[in-house]
Every structure is written in C-alpha cells, then in structure tokens.
Amino acid sequence: MQINPVLVESTVVFAVVLCVHMAVWNQHSWCSIALVIQAFYVQHKWDRLLRSGGAVFQFRPSANSGIVPASMVMPLLGLVLKEKCSDSGNVYFERFSMVVTITGMMLALFLSLIALGITRPVPTNTCVIAGMAGSAILYTTKQTLTVSEVIEVLEVLLIFVYLSLIVLYLLPRCFTPGEALLIVGGISFIVNQLIKRSLNLAEVKGDPVNYFLPVVVVGSLLLGVFFALLFCFMESETWVSSLFFHMMTAVLCLGILMPWLSLFIGRHPIMWLLDFLTLNDRRLCLLGYWVFLAVVATCVVLHQNYQRQSGSKKHQASTVVRKYFHLIVVATYVPGLIYDRQMLHVASVGCLAIFLFLEYVRYFRIRPLGQLLRQLLTLFLDERDSGPLILTHVYLLLGMSLPIWLFPGPCAPKGILPGAGGLVPYAGVLAVGVGDTVASIFGSTMGEIRWPGTKKTMEGTATSVFAQIIAVAMFLIFDGGINLNSTYSWIVGSITLVAMLEAYTFQIDNLLLPLYLFILLML
C-alpha cells in the first residue's frame, strides 16, 4: 500500500504538538492544536499551488511546501520556554516566551492566508477551518498579551512581510514556503528585538554574549540586501566592484556594527573579545583545537577537488564524503559543550558571520576568492542547493548552534536544566551530528528495507536511534552536569520521534530536527 510521506510527516508533528499540550495544558497549547489542524489543510493548498506553478514566487523544487512542520516550531518553542521560565519564577522571560508563541502563530496564519487568497476556486472548507483557528488565536492574544506586546507582534509581522518580498524575489528556488517561514520569520523576530533594545538602552541587561548573534544577523542582512540591489545595476566581477564590496563591508563592520555592539556590552567589542578569549588557558586550547579542525575541513575540500580534477569519474561528492563534515562538526561542538559553552556560543556566531561573508563573496563573484569558492563548493552540492545560494554548510552550522543559542540561561538555575533538559544544548549534536549522519551512512551503504513512500531505509533510522542513545550515554560519562533522573524512556521516545521525522520530511532536516528535539527535551 502506497503511503503519503507528507501525511506521515504531519502525523509526527501532530504527535509532538500533543506531547507539548499534555505537558503545558493552557490556552496557548489549545491554540497550537488548532493551528496544526489548519496548517494541515492549508499545506495541501500550498502543495497544489507548487505543483501547478501558481505560487507567486519560485520555491525550491522537488519538495513539498512544509507548512505543517515549519508553522509549529516558533509556537512550540515559546510554549516550552514559557513553562521553564514559569517554573523558575522569571516573569520577564515568561512574558517574552508568550510573545514568541503568539508571533509564531500569527506568522503561520499569515502564510495560510496567502495560500487561501491565491487558490482558485476558493477552498471553502479550508477557509472555515483557518477562520476558526485564527479566531481562537486572536481571542487568546487579546486575553493574554498586553497592548505593547501585541504591537511587538505586529511589528514582527510587518518586518516579515517586507523581508519575505525581498528575499523570495532576490533568491528564487532557495526555500520552500515552510523554510521561508522558519528562516525569514526568525530573522524578522531578531531584527525587531534588536531595534527594540537599541531604543531602550537603559533597560538593556543580561550576558554580553547574547548580543553578538542579533548584531551579526542584522549586519549580514544589511550587507546582503544592499549589494544584491546594487549589483542589479552594475557588474560585480570587476576589481573595482570587488574593492568597493570590501570597503563597504569594512565600513559596515567598523563604522556601524562595532559601535552598535559596544552600546550593548559597554566596551569596545574587540577589546572585550580579547579579554574573553584569554580569560583562561582552556579557552586558548579550545581555540587552537578548533583552528586545527578548520584546517582539516579545508584539506578535505581541497583533496576532494583534487581527486575530481585528476581524472576521477566521480563528479559529485558521495553521501559518505559529505558526512565527513558532520563528524568534524561533532568533534568541534562536543568539547565546547562540555568545557565552555559561552566560548562555543561566541565562536559559533563568529563562524556564522564568516560563512555568510564567504557565501556573499562566492555568490557575487567578488575577487580574488569568488570564482575559486564557486569551483571548490560545486563538488558538494546536492538536490537541495537548487537556487543561487549554497546554504548546506550554513544549515549545518545553524542546526548545531540553535540549541545553544536558544538555551534559556536566565531560567536555568546554575545554567543546567533538570532531567532530560540537561541534554537540551546537545540537541543539535544528537539530531544532526550523530543521528542524521549515521542514518545517511548506514542507510545508503547497507539499507535494504525502505520506509513506504520515501528513499530512507528502516536500517538507517534504527541505527540512528541506537547511535544517539550511545551518544547520550557518552555525554553522561563526560559531562557531570547532566542529571537525567528517571527520564530515560522520555529521551528514547523523543529521539525516536525525531528520527521518524528525519525519515519522512522533505524539508531541510539540519534545521528542523534539532529544533524539534530541543522542544521535546525541554518538556
């Protein structure tokens, strides 16, 4: 019997929503159930639009819309964060988490309205279901958020609308509708939070480490949009254009981002960073170790390209070769998670800035490295890199880093959550670094029994779950701060559920899997 993989994917997401609802059980969790039901109906409309070519923009081909898994990420994140902050008595972050939940629901409803508005004939039943879900969410918003918080949600929605128009126009075939919702929605929220804090510097508080990511995201966004529009009217491959690109990048970093960041941390960022890196010998050792791994990764890229040029018939890197980088990233993140998470946080943000800058250089063919990067990275393309950008390595970095960046430090006593929450920072390592890697390698080399409706194999999924359980045992040995109490069955169940999502999703698994494992481990 033929099984629709999109239906199984939606079922797994619905199971996660039910898990969160049973743990939280409030107005917002009921709204999340209403949201996932309407997203399921709207997803079919989006899929039909993509197949018929009726969508306004060009989305990533050979994938479904991904509305259901993407729509639920922000609402579920807000729900589990609110629960943890409520338990710790942190009222400020409890309110902040409620804003995250409602914002995610509003963004998902907006994307649903777009699909319903351009679908012909008008889908009456889906409109009724979406209207009922929207009414419940609006009523809950009125009951639970203050006026200023509602305005904040509307600001994010406004930024999302304009940013989506720009990104989807300039970058066709890079995202599915769900991926666009997840990525552009997250960026919109970060931009709004940075603007809000910049206008209220007197209320700025917290760890200076947490301000690096918003400034890097906004700076990268400004740089990309400015030069994408500029190079529509001038040639980007000349030395004059390349020199202008490097000069404007230096002006943006030194003249705008550095002073902006200094307002938040109270010192010059470079001096603060030097003091931060040289605080103790352990940080210097970690830094040296990471530089060594970066050199190893570079050598792998050069070696694979040399093999191609030396007459090998293999024109694309195999799945096993691509997973080398997953293993290198695991070797990068695990020592940082065990010994110095703040250092890992700053280093991962810096790595994101470098990756985005190099991708701009490659995309715009900026001299002297632009053409070289195009040649080197072409070998590692897969079917998901169908647009003008190569984002696979960026997604890998995000998947490993998001659990660290999202970790609710102010709501965690001594920086550690009890029970399964102790594994929350490891969610990226488990889901992507270990689980996805083992599933791909074993599934492609030894897998024979395929999951109905997909190319993924049962052997790959089984070994993925087994490998993640072994990894958890290893983390327990080397990280004394983790105390799982009696939550072993919940951890195994969470890992299995996310492994099933990996088997059936057509979205960027490097983004989705860590976020859903993060949500489940927070319960």
Side-chain angles (χ1 to χ4, degrees):
M1 182 180 67
Q2 186 66 29
I3 295 179
N4 186 355
V6 177
L7 180 61
V8 179
E9 176 192 56
S10 301
T11 303
V12 173
V13 174
F14 188 71
V16 176
V17 173
L18 287 180
C19 291
V20 175
H21 174 63
M22 295 302 294
V24 176
W25 198 274
N26 59 20
Q27 284 179 287
H28 294 110
S29 67
W30 281 106
C31 287
S32 68
I33 292 180
L35 182 67
V36 73
I37 293 173
Q38 75 87 30
F40 176 75
Y41 279 87
V42 171
Q43 180 169 259
H44 289 285
K45 311 307 173 187
W46 265 113
D47 291 344
R48 190 168 67 183
L49 286 170
L50 295 178
R51 288 193 298 268
S52 64
V56 178
F57 297 101
Q58 297 182 57
F59 292 99
R60 183 164 64 85
S62 67
N64 68 310
S65 61
I67 295 297
V68 171
S71 294
M72 301 313 301
V73 168
M74 278 188 70
L76 295 181
L77 274 175
L79 283 172
V80 296
L81 289 172
K82 176 183 178 298
E83 192 70 9
K84 289 300 179 183
C85 294
S86 176
D87 293 342
S88 65
N90 193 318
V91 178
Y92 174 81
F93 278 95
E94 184 179 353
R95 302 298 304 181
F96 175 79
S97 301
M98 291 173 60
V99 172
V100 173
T101 298
I102 296 297
T103 301
M105 291 181 178
M106 290 299 182
L107 293 176
L109 284 177
F110 175 75
L111 203 63
S112 300
L113 290 177
I114 292 177
L116 297 177
I118 61 179
T119 300
R120 292 295 181 271
V122 176
T124 306
N125 294 339
T126 305
C127 286
V128 171
I129 294 172
M132 293 173 62
S135 299
I137 292 170
L138 289 174
Y139 177 78
T140 302
T141 301
K142 179 179 178 295
Q143 294 294 316
T144 56
L145 295 190
T146 63
V147 175
S148 62
E149 290 168 342
V150 172
I151 293 174
E152 188 174 342
V153 172
L154 295 177
E155 289 169 350
V156 176
L157 190 58
L158 184 63
I159 295 172
F160 175 79
V161 171
Y162 285 104
L163 197 57
S164 297
L165 294 175
I166 295 172
V167 171
L168 294 178
Y169 174 76
L170 294 176
L171 303 173
R173 304 182 307 280
C174 283
F175 312 102
T176 64
E179 292 161 4
L181 170 65
L182 191 59
I183 295 169
V184 180
I187 293 175
S188 302
F189 191 85
I190 290 174
V191 169
N192 186 67
Q193 287 297 312
L194 189 63
I195 294 173
K196 176 185 173 183
R197 282 165 170 71
S198 300
L199 296 176
N200 298 278
L201 289 173
E203 300 179 6
V204 170
K205 56 183 179 179
D207 195 337
V209 168
N210 296 327
Y211 293 105
F212 277 80
L213 178 62
V215 172
V216 165
V217 169
V218 173
S220 302
L221 178 66
L222 292 174
L223 187 68
V225 171
F226 174 76
F227 281 105
L229 297 176
L230 178 65
F231 289 143
C232 288
F233 304 99
M234 62 182 293
E235 183 63 42
S236 64
E237 300 180 37
T238 64
W239 276 108
V240 174
S241 298
S242 299
L243 182 61
F244 181 70
F245 174 86
H246 293 301
M247 288 178 59
M248 288 303 299
T249 302
V251 169
L252 176 67
C253 293
L254 300 177
I256 299 178
L257 299 184
M258 288 292 184
W260 200 354
L261 188 56
S262 66
L263 294 176
F264 294 115
I265 64 178
R267 291 183 59 190
H268 192 284
I270 294 180
M271 299 306 299
W272 182 91
L273 189 60
L274 288 174
D275 290 342
F276 178 82
L277 295 176
T278 57
L279 182 64
N280 53 50
D281 293 337
R282 176 177 290 174
R283 287 186 174 175
L284 293 175
C285 291
L286 276 175
L287 189 61
Y289 171 67
W290 290 337
V291 170
F292 168 74
L293 290 178
V295 172
V296 171
T298 304
C299 291
V300 171
V301 173
L302 296 176
H303 175 69
Q304 291 298 320
N305 276 270
Y306 174 76
Q307 283 191 328
R308 180 177 63 173
Q309 294 172 1
S310 63
S312 174
K313 296 181 180 180
K314 186 170 59 176
H315 298 289
Q316 289 298 123
S318 65
T319 299
V320 175
V321 170
R322 283 199 294 269
K323 297 307 176 182
Y324 286 165
F325 298 100
H326 285 235
L327 298 177
I328 291 174
V329 172
V330 169
T332 302
Y333 274 71
V334 170
L337 285 167
I338 294 174
Y339 296 113
D340 198 330
R341 293 180 186 177
Q342 276 198 324
M343 175 73 173
L344 182 60
H345 186 124
V346 174
S348 59
V349 172
C351 193
L352 176 64
I354 293 172
F355 276 13
L356 292 177
F357 174 75
L358 291 177
E359 180 56 24
Y360 288 151
V361 170
R362 187 206 64 83
Y363 175 62
F364 295 124
R365 295 185 175 91
I366 301 299
R367 297 190 179 189
L369 296 177
Q371 193 58 40
L372 176 63
L373 288 173
R374 279 179 174 265
Q375 296 172 358
L376 292 177
L377 296 180
T378 301
L379 177 66
F380 300 94
L381 294 179
D382 60 17
E383 67 277 2
R384 298 181 181 182
D385 291 310
S386 55
L389 294 184
I390 299 177
L391 296 173
T392 304
H393 56 298
V394 179
Y395 288 143
L396 176 59
L397 176 67
L398 288 176
M400 301 291 286
S401 303
L402 281 172
I404 302 166
W405 298 342
L406 294 173
F407 183 78
C411 304
K414 299 181 181 179
I416 300 172
L417 293 173
L423 290 172
V424 162
Y426 291 90
V429 174
L430 288 171
V432 176
V434 177
D436 184 48
T437 303
V438 171
S440 296
I441 294 175
F442 278 83
S444 61
T445 57
M446 294 185 291
E448 295 182 359
I449 306 173
R450 299 191 183 279
W451 288 106
T454 76
K455 296 180 180 179
K456 306 293 180 65
T457 65
M458 295 184 182
E459 292 90 344
T461 302
T463 52
S464 166
V465 173
F466 186 64
Q468 290 179 74
I469 294 172
I470 294 177
V472 169
M474 298 296 292
F475 298 152
L476 284 172
I477 294 173
F478 291 101
D479 190 344
I482 301 176
N483 182 15
L484 298 183
N485 299 325
S486 57
T487 58
Y488 298 101
S489 58
W490 177 255
I491 293 170
V492 174
S494 301
I495 289 173
T496 304
L497 205 56
V498 172
M500 287 301 300
L501 182 61
E502 187 273 338
Y504 277 95
T505 188
F506 290 98
Q507 307 304 300
I508 301 297
D509 49 9
N510 286 352
L511 275 181
L512 279 182
L513 303 185
L515 291 172
Y516 273 98
L517 187 57
F518 179 96
I519 291 166
L520 289 169
L521 292 177
M522 285 283 287
L523 296 177

